[in-house]
């Protein structure tokens, strides 16, 4: 539960980074670096919580084998037992990556003939939001455990969360850093970075859509 709490808190921090960038904060401003430092601290707390979870999981597994099969019960669990656990390694690889203070980067790529620039803060915002998987089962079971027709309710809750998640991911992918304050990528001076084309070839002046409900509506009508 503690790891789930910090996963949600960390997601709020990285969303705050991205939204602050949209509102005009520079990537290396004091405010942004403070948020990045907070996210770094949260990341370490999450890893420590996961370590404790797997420590107890290994202990419980050994106890279960002792009671069911008569295997010798060894209660001594060292650091190596935990960090070599495949599931622990997988979760660390998912939860550890983040943008530390003082770091920023931009890269550009073509999409359907249009030049779009992404900042590393936006990319890792998506990655860090994935940490919320830690609270998925806690949230669902808490919300529907005492309700009638709980399986139906659970499906509805799942659909709503999926729309929110993919809506925000779509919003991140559609916003180009070329139109954000402090952009420095040299390709942002190209015409393709400002004048985009639709699939039919029609040209339009690219503007970042800052309203998240538009992205959520797009995901909803295309599901």
């Amino acid at each position: 539960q503690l790891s789930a709490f910090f996963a949600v808190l960390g997601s709020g921090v990285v969303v705050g980074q991205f939204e602050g960038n949209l509102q005009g904060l520079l990537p290396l401003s004091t405010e942004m670096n403070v948020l990045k430092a907070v996210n770094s601290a949260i990341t370490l707390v999450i890893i420590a919580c996961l370590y404790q979870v797997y420590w107890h999981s290994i202990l419980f597994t050994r106890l279960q084998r002792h009671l069911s099969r008569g295997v010798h019960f060894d209660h001594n669990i060292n650091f190596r037992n935990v960090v070599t656990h495949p599931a622990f390694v997988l979760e660390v690889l998912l939860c550890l990556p983040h943008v530390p203070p003082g770091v920023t980067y931009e890269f550009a790529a073509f999409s359907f003939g249009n030049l779009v620039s992404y900042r590393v803060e936006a990319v890792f915002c998506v990655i860090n939001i994935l940490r919320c998987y830690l609270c998925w089962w806690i949230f669902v079971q808490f919300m529907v455990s005492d309700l009638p027709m709980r399986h139906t309710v659970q499906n509805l809750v799942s659909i709503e969360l999926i729309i929110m998640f993919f809506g925000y991911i779509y919003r991140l992918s559609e916003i180009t850093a070329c139109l954000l304050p402090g952009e420095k990528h040299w390709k942002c001076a190209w015409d393709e970075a400002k004048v985009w084309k639709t699939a039919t070839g029609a040209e339009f002046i690219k503007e970042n859509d800052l309203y998240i409900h538009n992205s959520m509506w797009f995901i909803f009508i295309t599901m």
Side-chain angles (χ1 to χ4, degrees):
Q1 293 180 353
L2 191 60
S3 61
F5 168 76
F6 280 103
V8 174
L9 182 61
S11 297
V13 171
V14 294
V15 169
Q17 291 180 36
F18 182 72
E19 296 299 324
N21 197 192
L22 292 181
Q23 298 303 319
L25 291 178
L26 298 178
L28 296 180
S29 64
T30 301
E31 295 86 349
M32 292 288 281
N33 279 330
V34 168
L35 290 175
K36 291 177 181 179
V38 172
N39 188 38
S40 295
I42 290 174
T43 300
L44 295 178
V45 172
I46 291 176
I47 299 303
C49 291
L50 289 175
Y51 181 89
Q52 288 296 320
V53 168
Y54 278 92
W55 189 93
H56 285 93
S57 175
I58 294 172
L59 181 65
F60 178 77
T61 300
R62 291 182 180 181
L63 178 59
Q64 189 177 35
R65 290 177 179 175
H66 171 69
L67 296 176
S68 61
R69 303 178 186 176
V71 178
H72 172 69
F73 177 61
D74 182 9
H75 65 278
N76 294 315
I77 302 173
N78 56 41
F79 179 77
R80 182 179 180 182
N81 295 141
V82 178
V83 299
T84 57
H85 194 290
F88 175 79
V89 174
L90 182 62
E91 294 205 59
V92 168
L93 291 176
L94 180 59
C95 296
L96 183 60
H98 67 284
V99 181
V103 175
T104 188
Y105 181 73
E106 295 179 21
F107 63 94
F110 279 96
S111 176
F112 300 101
N114 305 309
L115 182 68
V116 57
S117 175
Y118 295 107
R119 279 188 179 152
V120 69
E121 289 85 355
V123 175
F124 278 88
C125 180
V126 176
I127 296 174
N128 290 162
I129 288 176
L130 293 176
R131 297 172 179 174
C132 287
Y133 80 91
L134 292 169
C135 62
W136 174 255
W137 290 113
I138 296 176
F139 175 77
V140 172
Q141 294 301 321
F142 175 77
M143 293 294 294
V144 305
S145 59
D146 296 330
L147 296 178
M149 301 178 64
R150 57 182 177 274
H151 297 295
T152 301
V153 176
Q154 181 174 337
N155 289 335
L156 293 176
V157 172
S158 300
I159 292 174
E160 181 180 354
L161 291 178
I162 288 173
I163 292 175
M164 292 177 61
F165 174 75
F166 284 104
Y168 199 80
I169 299 304
Y170 172 75
R171 179 170 180 251
L172 288 172
S173 65
E174 283 295 301
I175 289 179
T176 173
C178 288
L179 303 180
L180 296 179
E183 63 83 18
K184 298 179 180 179
H185 202 285
W186 60 276
K187 288 185 179 180
C188 288
W190 293 4
D191 292 338
E192 292 87 344
K194 303 173 183 177
V195 181
W196 284 24
K197 296 180 180 179
T198 64
T200 60
E203 295 184 346
F204 65 96
I205 303 298
K206 170 62 180 174
E207 294 182 2
N208 285 332
D209 186 0
L210 303 182
Y211 299 100
I212 189 171
H213 60 265
N214 292 338
S215 300
M216 290 185 179
W217 176 249
F218 172 79
I219 295 297
F220 176 76
I221 63 177
T222 54
M223 288 183 65

